[in-house]
Amino acid sequence: MKRAPARGRTSTLVGIVLLALMLFPVYWMVNVSLQPAGNVLRAGWFPVHPDFSGYATALREQGYSLATSLVVALGSAVLSLGLAAPASYALAHFRLRGTTAVLFGVLVTQAVPGIVVASALYGAYNDLGLLNSYPGLILADSTAGVPFAVLVLHAFMRAIPREIIEAARVDGAGRLRVFRSVVLPLSTTALITAGVFTFLFAWSDFLFALTLNTTDAVRPVTLGIYQYLGAHTNRWNAVMATAVLASVPAAALLVLAQRRIAAGITSGAVR
């Protein structure tokens, strides 16, 4: 049996150490969430006698915030895909002037600081009555989701052979029918990839939630944890339990869609 080269063993060891360092905050978060209420510095390295009272408190006091984040994230993902999919199809397969300039503009919007967008939206929302509302947060989070979705979907749809689209047109299908019956089914992987990331953008948003909400009427879980820290610093088990509950949907979504995401990110480059 051949022994692994020394360089290979060293690389593996370094990888394990780095992975342990990156995952330690997650482990400590789960560990503290299962400890009794009190000073986090007194928590043991392992919850020998797990205490789930922190989760009961988190669900009771932050359940509404978790539901709010779910509604906003799902709404933002649906709106982002609804706008980005037809726009990407048009940019990829219609003979339009200025397509390169449009794509460059979409890319530039990704570099605009979020605080600039949030400040501009606050004035507009104040005039339109969208502050402290679900539609307001969904629209705000979509400002980050739509450009990303356009870039991902355009790269994929551009790689769809024109012969397939032309064959559907010869069979009598209009542009809308081709988009709905041919392009969208072929773009399932890219749609899932863009949808997952736009969901995560909205789920983890804190800046828009803090800027565009002046009451607790619409309070996502990120803002809930922020306010929770100031009010319950002696109840770290509940704080960490809220953080664990907030991490579960994102982690589950990434695990379920990991193969699709990997294929969707690389599809535009390898086709």
Side-chain angles (χ1 to χ4, degrees):
M1 182 179 295
K2 295 183 179 180
R3 293 184 178 181
R7 181 178 298 179
R9 292 196 298 270
T10 302
S11 300
T12 302
L13 180 60
V14 171
I16 292 174
V17 172
L18 292 176
L19 181 63
L21 289 175
M22 289 186 290
L23 292 181
F24 179 76
V26 178
Y27 163 74
W28 191 251
M29 177 177 68
V30 176
N31 178 38
V32 174
S33 71
L34 295 173
Q35 302 285 349
N39 191 336
V40 67
L41 297 178
R42 299 177 182 175
W45 285 97
F46 187 79
V48 180
H49 303 289
D51 186 346
F52 293 92
S53 61
Y55 286 91
T57 302
L59 288 173
R60 183 175 65 253
E61 299 181 358
Q62 296 291 331
Y64 173 76
S65 297
L66 289 166
T68 298
S69 285
L70 184 62
V71 171
V72 171
L74 288 175
S76 178
V78 171
L79 179 61
S80 297
L81 292 181
L83 295 175
S88 302
Y89 172 57
L91 291 172
H93 290 282
F94 291 5
R95 295 180 179 178
L96 303 173
R97 293 182 179 180
T99 298
T100 303
V102 171
L103 290 174
F104 179 75
V106 171
L107 184 61
V108 168
T109 61
Q110 295 288 84
V112 177
I115 187 61
V116 175
V117 179
S119 300
L121 288 178
Y122 183 87
Y125 278 20
N126 190 40
D127 295 335
L128 297 173
L130 289 176
L131 292 176
N132 309 306
S133 68
Y134 285 97
L137 274 185
I138 291 173
L139 288 172
D141 290 331
S142 297
T143 60
V146 171
F148 177 84
V150 167
L151 294 175
V152 172
L153 294 175
H154 174 266
F156 189 94
M157 292 180 180
R158 185 178 58 183
I160 296 176
R162 290 186 177 274
E163 291 78 7
I164 296 178
I165 296 176
E166 292 173 357
R169 296 296 304 276
V170 169
D171 289 340
R175 292 187 184 275
L176 183 60
R177 179 66 182 275
V178 171
F179 172 69
R180 185 177 66 250
S181 301
V182 177
V183 175
L184 287 183
L186 291 175
S187 304
T188 302
T189 298
L191 288 169
I192 292 176
T193 302
V196 167
F197 278 98
T198 53
F199 177 91
L200 294 178
F201 290 159
W203 183 264
S204 61
D205 169 64
F206 174 75
L207 183 60
F208 289 133
L210 180 64
T211 306
L212 303 177
N213 284 303
T214 57
T215 67
D216 290 337
V218 180
R219 186 183 63 183
V221 69
T222 50
L223 190 58
I225 293 175
Y226 172 71
Q227 296 175 345
Y228 215 37
L229 287 174
H232 300 90
T233 51
N234 63 332
R235 295 164 59 189
W236 282 100
N237 61 339
V239 174
M240 292 301 181
T242 304
V244 171
L245 293 174
S247 303
V248 168
L253 192 60
L254 287 173
V255 170
L256 292 174
Q258 59 180 336
R259 292 184 179 179
R260 297 277 190 169
I261 292 173
I265 291 176
T266 59
S267 59
V270 300
R271 286 188 171 229

